[in-house]
Amino acid sequence: MSLHRLLAMRVGVPRPDELAGFYAEVGLATDGDGRVTSPDGGTQVVIEEAPYRQLLGVELGAAHERDLDDIGGRLADLGVTIEGRSSSLTAVDPISHVRFRVTVAEPLAQAGSTAVVDNRPGATVRRNERASAVSQGPRPPRRLGHLVIGTPDIAATQRFLVDGLGCKVSDQADGIVSFLRCSTDHHNIGLVHSPVPILQHYSWECDDVDHVGHTATALLRADADRQTWGLGRHFAGSNFYWYLRDPSGAFMELFSDLDVIDDDDAWEAQRTPLALEHVANSWGPDIPMEFIAPHDLPELQAAWAAR
Ligand SMILES: [Fe+2]
């Protein structure tokens, strides 16, 4: 795969300082100038002021300079204009209006986290001591893992991302949701239907389910109204999830234990189509209506129409 990682996203919101403050509460480093840094991923969010909340851009990493030429050729075949091409390539998805920038980047390198030692029936591996997780607390997530774009035309945005940029399809339920990858993660970019383009949610990787739990719990103790959906486990991607609403109105997910795909043929050989009952989760609370139609959707539709 020429693409190999999700580098960053650029978001526009009416109150950038409020969102930066939330990220600081999550444990991420903020520089006072809208740049948000994770421990493993470097600068992963750039916050800009905008009249309504929106996803402005996504930055992807490619392995080699020649990959940019290949991507440029494929986008040209699709009739997409290349906006910039020097050390990076920039093109806009004509449907979502999100600006994608591809640069040559080093592979992601992550130090391993401490192994979890879980007792199970008939398999006691931890004796005469408490689980280490009970003494841990909230801490910064490791990196930005994925983002989900609400688009009025999933198929067209998917063509741009797959046939143009070179993302791969990991799972999909036609017309409902597509899970695309630009790395060995099961998904880095998701697509869902929305009447106008929106950033539906974005997701930070945690070490394990206890890391998800400690961090989400601390954020909810500070403001219980942030609760959106979780704790549960998705079917697509297999990950544990917990979603909270950020102050701009987008959903922030904390996740752990996502499927890794490093052999495309092996994944395809066992993949079955996503049935309707698999779309939301494997277990956990029912999907809230708010997750499908966020409370500020009418406002976003009006803003999109007036732009
Ligand atoms: Fe997610």
Side-chain angles (χ1 to χ4, degrees):
M1 172 183 285
S2 65
L3 296 175
H4 63 82
R5 64 186 287 200
L6 168 66
L7 292 168
M9 65 175 183
R10 199 159 52 84
V11 298
V13 295
R15 289 176 294 281
D17 291 348
E18 190 182 49
L19 185 58
F22 175 72
Y23 286 137
E25 215 183 316
V26 173
L28 298 159
T30 56
D31 71 353
D33 204 25
R35 300 174 78 81
V36 181
T37 301
S38 74
D40 292 358
T43 297
Q44 302 226 264
V45 184
V46 177
I47 309 169
E48 296 180 13
E49 189 171 342
Y52 59 96
R53 73 172 178 92
Q54 56 197 281
L55 178 62
L56 297 169
V58 174
E59 201 164 321
L60 305 176
H64 306 287
E65 184 70 29
R66 64 176 178 277
D67 297 325
L68 303 186
D69 296 329
D70 294 343
I71 293 167
R74 291 197 301 267
L75 288 170
D77 289 345
L78 292 177
V80 174
T81 307
I82 312 299
E83 286 201 346
R85 176 67 178 92
S86 50
S87 59
S88 67
L89 176 149
T90 303
V92 177
D93 168 29
I95 305 299
S96 67
H97 293 204
V98 176
R99 179 169 269 98
F100 285 81
R101 182 164 170 262
V102 185
T103 57
V104 176
E106 292 296 312
L108 176 72
Q110 289 185 288
S113 55
T114 314
V116 174
V117 183
D118 283 340
N119 283 342
R120 296 163 192 266
T124 300
V125 290
R126 188 186 70 249
R127 298 165 191 276
N128 313 312
E129 58 173 340
R130 299 185 207 282
S132 60
V134 302
S135 305
Q136 292 172 337
R139 57 191 189 276
R142 301 282 295 262
R143 64 168 173 123
L144 183 68
H146 63 268
L147 53 90
V148 172
I149 299 170
T151 168
D153 188 340
I154 292 178
T157 297
Q158 185 161 321
R159 258 194 311 279
F160 171 85
L161 290 168
V162 174
D163 300 343
L165 295 185
C167 293
K168 296 181 179 179
V169 179
S170 298
D171 270 313
Q172 63 183 341
D174 284 345
I176 300 173
V177 63
S178 290
F179 297 90
L180 312 179
R181 66 185 186 278
C182 64
S183 73
T184 57
D185 293 343
H186 174 274
H187 52 282
N188 303 103
I189 300 176
L191 302 177
V192 294
H193 179 77
S194 171
V196 292
I198 60 168
L199 172 59
Q200 195 271 339
H201 79 261
Y202 54 92
S203 193
W204 298 95
E205 183 181 45
C206 294
D207 289 322
D208 49 43
V209 69
D210 290 296
H211 186 183
V212 170
H214 278 299
T215 305
T217 299
L219 290 163
L220 291 173
R221 282 180 180 156
D223 181 355
D225 287 341
R226 291 166 169 163
Q227 170 63 14
T228 306
W229 190 24
L231 171 73
R233 190 157 189 151
H234 284 306
F235 182 90
S238 304
N239 55 294
F240 292 105
Y241 67 83
W242 201 329
Y243 295 88
L244 290 79
R245 192 183 317 93
D246 82 18
S248 79
F251 305 118
M252 183 197 75
E253 179 187 14
L254 300 168
F255 79 92
S256 68
D257 195 20
L258 186 75
D259 292 336
V260 168
I261 302 173
D262 62 4
D263 182 332
D264 296 344
D265 294 336
W267 175 259
E268 287 302 320
Q270 59 79 52
R271 175 157 81 99
T272 49
L274 278 189
L276 208 53
E277 67 265 29
H278 297 142
V279 168
N281 59 19
S282 168
W283 59 259
D286 286 345
I287 187 168
M289 264 315 292
E290 180 194 2
F291 199 74
I292 298 162
H295 293 149
D296 61 355
L297 187 57
E299 204 179 298
L300 297 175
Q301 286 179 274
W304 182 258
R307 80 195 186 286

